[in-house]
Amino acid sequence: MLDALQLASKQNRSIVKSDLEIGIKEEFVKDVKKQRLPDVAINGIYSRTTSLTEFKGPFLSDRAIRHLKPEIYSLSTVIKSPIYIGGKIKNDIQIAKISTEIAAVVKEQVESDIQLDVISTYYGIYKMLKLHSIFLENISEAKTRLKEIRSFQSHGTVTKNEVIRAELLLSDRELNVMTNSNNIKIAMHNFKTLLQLPEEMEFSIDTTAINFDLKVKDPYATYYARALYNEDIRMSDKFSTIKKLELKNTRSNYYPSIYFFANYNLRFPNFMFFPPDPYLYSIGQVGIELNYNLSSLFKNTNKVHIAEKEVSLQKMNTQILKERVGDELFKNHVEYQEILDKSNVVDKALVLANENYRIVKVKYINQLVLSTEMIDADNELLLAKYNKISNRIDAMVKYYEMLHTAGALGAEFENK
């Protein structure tokens, strides 16, 4: 099973997708950090102009024409860099970083979900394989019994009805084998999909490597303490931090924005004088620009109230999530204890069913009981064998479900 888990962690497409999402978030952090860099722009203009016509009298009657340089061109460079914009850049960088952390936690959760799917599918296949072997063993017994019953019928010691009942039981077992075989095929196909194995690839489950030692159960409080840091709750806490930073950004609209700016221009002709001088000239500026939007004093109020309520809502979502995780974990904890309590019962039931089958079979061979009693004993033994296997597998799966809810499933296999 460890090999299957390792293969799934490397090849499962959901995990690969999570890696890509983390990469996108990391690039987004780099992009947001570049908001600190100055904006640099270069602008060039070339144009041809007409002569300048001045109208000095009414109705465009008196006019004077001045011939100017027909060509105008300029080259300007502008630099603008934020000095203070209410802390928005710093907050945006923090939001981007936390979003990357959330993507990493999402990957952990996806890996944990895939691990649980692999475990559940693996043990489910094992259960069906064991049931298959029980059915085959039972069919072999049923065929032998049918021969005996037919032999008894030929001697007139049993009725035709008992032969028919034995034949129906054999047919029922054969149908069970067919259904179980198809279920195994479906489960194996799903397992290939989980591990991203080629469709044509053949593989088998190593049932000898499965250890059914029942895990020691820690107190519920131990699992709950770990569950408070599971993937869902950690993500919810990080979303709360993002909402707080978004609230700061909304409040920053109340503050002025301060920028450093500089520009340098080359122009022709010199329109600083009139008539323009036919010379190329240069001029530059450097300074501080301050912007303050007075309308934000009344337009931004509701936005702040909404952001505050979103912070409170996210906190409430986290508390609800903790309660839901606690309830699910408590349910898993109680169910696991129930399975553990049943283990001794099913073990004892199997011993009793074996003994009952042995006694009834001896009596049946000596024709002291009817075939119906033999069939009933056989059914009880089949059920007891299945219950024991099912109990052990259910215990293993429930234990891993409990670790999954507590956010500790990955740690269970890290040191193995």
Side-chain angles (χ1 to χ4, degrees):
M1 186 172 68
L2 289 176
D3 292 339
L5 290 171
Q6 292 171 358
L7 195 60
S9 66
K10 294 177 182 178
Q11 297 188 176
N12 186 272
R13 286 192 175 90
S14 295
I15 296 176
V16 175
K17 175 186 172 185
S18 297
D19 285 327
L20 292 174
E21 290 173 345
I22 291 174
I24 293 172
K25 296 295 184 182
E26 289 173 345
E27 291 298 321
F28 185 67
V29 172
K30 295 177 184 178
D31 182 65
V32 174
K33 285 182 177 179
K34 289 182 179 178
Q35 291 182 20
R36 291 171 170 170
L37 301 177
D39 293 327
V40 181
I42 297 177
N43 182 42
I45 296 176
Y46 172 82
S47 67
R48 296 186 65 85
T49 63
T50 64
S51 297
L52 176 66
T53 302
E54 291 181 296
F55 298 96
K56 297 181 178 180
F59 307 108
L60 309 180
S61 59
D62 187 6
R63 61 182 181 178
I65 297 176
R66 294 179 182 269
H67 296 285
L68 305 177
K69 284 290 181 181
E71 293 181 318
I72 296 177
Y73 52 83
S74 68
L75 181 67
S76 60
T77 302
V78 179
I79 299 175
K80 188 174 183 180
S81 179
I83 297 175
Y84 175 78
I85 53 175
K88 285 185 178 181
I89 295 178
K90 178 183 176 182
N91 293 336
D92 287 343
I93 292 173
Q94 285 298 111
I95 290 173
K97 287 181 177 179
I98 295 172
S99 296
T100 305
E101 293 171 1
I102 290 174
V105 177
V106 168
K107 181 187 175 182
E108 288 181 37
Q109 187 178 52
V110 170
E111 287 179 332
S112 182
D113 291 343
I114 294 299
Q115 284 177 337
L116 186 61
D117 285 344
V118 169
I119 290 168
S120 300
T121 306
Y122 188 90
Y123 280 114
I125 294 173
Y126 176 83
K127 182 191 288 189
M128 287 185 285
L129 289 173
K130 294 300 290 184
L131 181 60
H132 193 76
S133 64
I134 292 173
F135 279 145
L136 292 178
E137 181 183 345
N138 191 261
I139 286 174
S140 178
E141 290 272 353
K143 286 180 178 178
T144 302
R145 188 182 312 115
L146 180 58
K147 289 180 181 179
E148 293 171 349
I149 294 175
R150 283 172 176 167
S151 176
F152 292 154
Q153 184 193 22
S154 64
H155 291 86
T157 56
V158 298
T159 63
K160 177 66 175 178
N161 183 57
E162 292 185 66
V163 176
I164 293 174
R165 181 163 182 176
E167 290 174 343
L168 288 174
L169 178 65
L170 178 59
S171 298
D172 184 61
R173 293 290 184 265
E174 289 172 342
L175 288 173
N176 288 338
V177 167
M178 291 175 60
T179 301
N180 194 59
S181 296
N182 289 330
N183 290 337
I184 291 173
K185 289 179 182 178
I186 294 170
M188 293 289 274
H189 183 273
N190 293 339
F191 204 51
K192 280 185 182 180
T193 303
L194 276 175
L195 305 182
Q196 305 300 155
L197 297 176
E199 185 67 30
E200 66 278 4
M201 181 177 177
E202 297 294 333
F203 73 101
S204 60
I205 299 295
D206 184 9
T207 57
T208 61
I210 297 180
N211 184 2
F212 283 109
D213 292 337
L214 295 179
K215 306 290 185 179
V216 177
K217 185 190 69 169
D218 293 324
Y220 166 74
T222 303
Y223 292 106
Y224 183 68
R226 298 171 74 177
L228 292 177
Y229 300 96
N230 78 356
E231 295 89 354
D232 285 329
I233 294 176
R234 277 189 287 149
M235 281 192 287
S236 187
D237 286 336
K238 291 182 184 297
F239 279 124
S240 293
T241 304
I242 287 177
K243 289 299 180 183
K244 291 176 183 177
L245 291 170
E246 290 176 346
L247 173 60
K248 288 183 178 180
N249 274 350
T250 306
R251 286 174 173 166
S252 69
N253 293 328
Y254 289 127
Y255 307 135
S257 300
I258 303 174
Y259 296 88
F260 165 80
F261 76 92
N263 59 64
Y264 187 77
N265 303 273
L266 285 172
R267 294 176 179 172
F268 175 87
N270 186 356
F271 278 98
M272 301 293 286
F273 304 98
F274 193 83
D277 288 339
Y279 305 112
L280 175 71
Y281 76 99
S282 65
I283 188 171
Q285 279 184 301
V286 63
I288 302 295
E289 176 184 336
L290 185 146
N291 296 319
Y292 187 73
N293 188 352
L294 293 176
S295 63
S296 64
L297 294 175
F298 54 88
K299 285 186 175 181
N300 199 50
T301 305
N302 288 341
K303 294 179 181 178
V304 171
H305 290 164
I306 292 171
E308 289 173 343
K309 291 182 183 298
E310 287 179 344
V311 170
S312 300
L313 177 62
Q314 186 57 43
K315 287 181 179 178
M316 183 60 65
N317 288 336
T318 302
Q319 293 301 319
I320 293 172
L321 180 61
K322 288 179 179 180
E323 290 177 355
R324 186 162 63 244
V325 169
D327 290 342
E328 183 179 355
L329 185 61
F330 184 80
K331 177 175 175 286
N332 289 337
H333 195 265
V334 171
E335 289 176 348
Y336 182 60
Q337 182 61 54
E338 180 184 358
I339 295 172
L340 293 180
D341 293 338
K342 286 181 178 179
S343 61
N344 291 330
V345 177
V346 296
D347 289 349
K348 185 177 180 180
L350 179 57
V351 172
L352 294 174
N354 270 314
E355 180 63 16
N356 180 61
Y357 181 81
R358 185 189 65 81
I359 294 171
V360 173
K361 187 174 182 180
V362 171
K363 291 182 178 180
Y364 174 72
I365 292 173
N366 293 298
Q367 298 187 35
L368 298 176
V369 296
L370 298 174
S371 62
T372 53
E373 293 185 51
M374 186 69 229
I375 291 172
D376 290 341
D378 183 63
N379 288 334
E380 290 169 1
L381 179 59
L382 176 65
L383 181 61
K385 287 180 179 179
Y386 176 76
N387 284 342
K388 180 172 181 177
I389 294 170
S390 181
N391 174 264
R392 294 298 188 270
I393 292 175
D394 290 347
M396 299 299 292
V397 173
K398 183 59 66 175
Y399 175 75
Y400 290 123
E401 284 180 358
M402 188 163 56
L403 292 182
H404 176 264
T405 304
L409 184 58
E412 179 74 9
F413 299 100
E414 284 180 359
N415 299 324
K416 292 186 179 181

